[in-house]
Amino acid sequence: MLVPIQCEFFALEGVSELMDTIDRVQSGFDHPLQVAGILLTMFDDRTNLTRQVAADLKEFFGDQVFRTVIPRSIRLAEAPSFGKPILAYDARSRGAESYIRLAKEILANEQRNSGKSA
């Protein structure tokens, strides 16, 4: 499971609720649900709040936080209003490039993890 988290204060509060829900699903349904990674979204490194939220999440989740972040972007916000994914709306935008980097990071993690279990 990929967990997107906005770099906002209230998002931090929701994380603990989500982790409790994951624990309940795992134990109550005997389901092997696992967190593949934590994705920081609406990331704006010009703000202290974003930097603090990112630091808190990295401290708590460690290596589960993806290196790739999704920036706060007007193009990302506009794409749904045109009924298009960001890669169709503006493939050269910072947001689209970030999602491409994320996909590559996920694939690399999967290859690395499948090599460990072999």
Side-chain angles (χ1 to χ4, degrees):
M1 176 174 62
L2 185 142
V3 180
I5 300 178
Q6 291 181 5
C7 290
E8 303 287 341
F9 174 75
F10 287 119
L12 285 176
E13 292 185 3
V15 171
S16 62
E17 299 283 330
L18 176 63
M19 300 317 286
D20 288 343
T21 301
I22 291 170
D23 288 342
R24 283 194 303 267
V25 168
Q26 288 171 329
S27 61
F29 296 101
D30 194 32
H31 193 283
L33 184 63
Q34 292 183 333
V35 175
I38 307 297
L39 176 63
L40 304 179
T41 66
M42 300 183 81
F43 190 89
D44 184 351
D45 65 355
R46 298 173 299 175
T47 69
N48 290 332
L49 177 61
T50 292
R51 289 192 299 270
Q52 185 60 54
V53 168
D56 290 349
L57 289 168
K58 287 175 184 175
E59 182 179 329
F60 186 79
F61 289 104
D63 289 342
Q64 284 187 295
V65 177
F66 287 109
R67 290 185 317 273
T68 303
V69 298
I70 307 302
R72 185 176 295 273
S73 162
I74 296 299
R75 301 303 276 175
L76 280 174
E78 289 173 346
S81 67
F82 288 90
K84 295 182 179 182
I86 190 61
L87 291 175
Y89 182 65
D90 187 353
R92 293 184 178 202
S93 68
R94 284 182 45 223
E97 291 173 355
S98 294
Y99 276 110
I100 291 168
R101 276 194 309 277
L102 175 64
K104 289 178 181 178
E105 184 176 350
I106 290 170
L107 290 172
N109 288 349
E110 287 296 315
Q111 287 179 340
R112 192 169 35 255
N113 291 338
S114 68
K116 287 180 182 178
S117 62

